[in-house]
Amino acid sequence: MNIAEKIFFKKNIRLMRPINIVLFSILLFFTACHNNNEKENTYPTTPSIPSLSYKIISVLPHDTTSFTEGLEFHKGYLYESTGDPDYAGRSKLAKINTTTGMDEQKIILAPAYFGEGITLLNRKIYQLTYKEQKCFVYDAATFKKLKEFTYRGEGWGMTNDGKYLIMDNGSNELIYRDPETFNIVKTVSVTGVPKDYNGHDVFINELEYVDGFIYANLYTMDFDQLVKIDPATGKVMGILNLNGLLERYAPPAETSKRDVLNGIAYDNANKTFYITGKYWPKLFAIQIQ
């Protein structure tokens, strides 16, 4: 029973005859059941925005200790940035074998830092931090730290368009930055992001630039979706529903710790996306259509 129904019931119960009270209670019971079932089987959508579809290419292992914040594909390997809300000193940057899911190269961030989004540009890896207002820059081959930048606000997801770094910060804005100075070049407001079941705002998180569009995970949502954004206008052009994907390929014992979908990487040679989430036991290679 929602708030409006409760108010109506309280205001009118004294005016009802006993038989009407019974009938009214039965009606509310079936209405509540219908609403609950409907919520379980449907998801909030924006009718004006097309729904995207996907095809699974392969299902691969993923490290269940990884609280995934950033994902990148480069020359046959995945690069992953993780944070960890429970244990200081567990944030890392790693080069991962996609077949085994194992780290082949990694560095652990100092305990003071919570790793966030990454991107690879001009043979350098850029890694954001959550609330520490630092962006670390590494040599992509050796993981040697080259320099760091300081910025205001939070760091969430990051990608690049071949010229500029593009990040977000817990709002629905794309922030373009110069890769040499980290100065802000421009910001683009993202419009059309769907709200959650309760009408609350949802925010773009991990980002991936692909063929002139930006794909973004959504955060604070109670189901798994990503959106396709036109970076020139900030308009959401498509929504991909991935709810239930992990549960179809992993038993409950492996998904008990799972958190939200977060991680998009793209293999341009094979036109394939790699999708995973925080503490997920699986990594999915998919093609979005």
Side-chain angles (χ1 to χ4, degrees), residues 159 208-215 228-231 235 237:
T159 187
E208 185 75 5
Y209 187 94
V210 179
D211 295 336
F213 293 95
I214 291 176
Y215 293 79
K228 178 181 179 182
I229 302 165
D230 180 351
K235 183 178 179 182
M237 306 299 292

Side-chain angles (χ1 to χ4, degrees), residues 201-219:
D201 289 333
V202 171
F203 304 104
I204 55 174
N205 196 4
E206 221 274 293
L207 307 173
E208 185 75 5
Y209 187 94
V210 179
D211 295 336
F213 293 95
I214 291 176
Y215 293 79
N217 288 134
L218 299 179
Y219 190 63

Side-chain angles (χ1 to χ4, degrees), residues 19 42 46 49 51 67 86 98 118 142 152 160 221 235 240 256 259 262 275 286-287:
I19 186 64
T42 63
T46 304
I49 301 175
S51 293
F67 195 77
D86 299 319
T98 57
I118 57 170
T142 65
R152 291 185 177 182
N160 74 83
M221 217 166 212
K235 183 178 179 182
L240 180 64
S256 59
D259 208 302
N262 200 49
I275 303 290
I286 68 173
Q287 289 181 342

Side-chain angles (χ1 to χ4, degrees), residues 237-256:
M237 306 299 292
I239 300 175
L240 180 64
N241 177 19
L242 294 166
N243 201 58
L245 172 63
L246 177 61
E247 286 69 23
R248 291 200 300 272
Y249 291 90
E254 293 184 12
T255 61
S256 59

Side-chain angles (χ1 to χ4, degrees), residues 111-130:
Y113 297 105
F114 186 111
E116 279 284 349
I118 57 170
T119 194
L120 199 154
L121 178 64
N122 299 328
R123 298 185 296 279
K124 298 177 186 135
I125 297 174
Y126 295 78
Q127 182 183 36
L128 296 173
T129 56
Y130 179 30

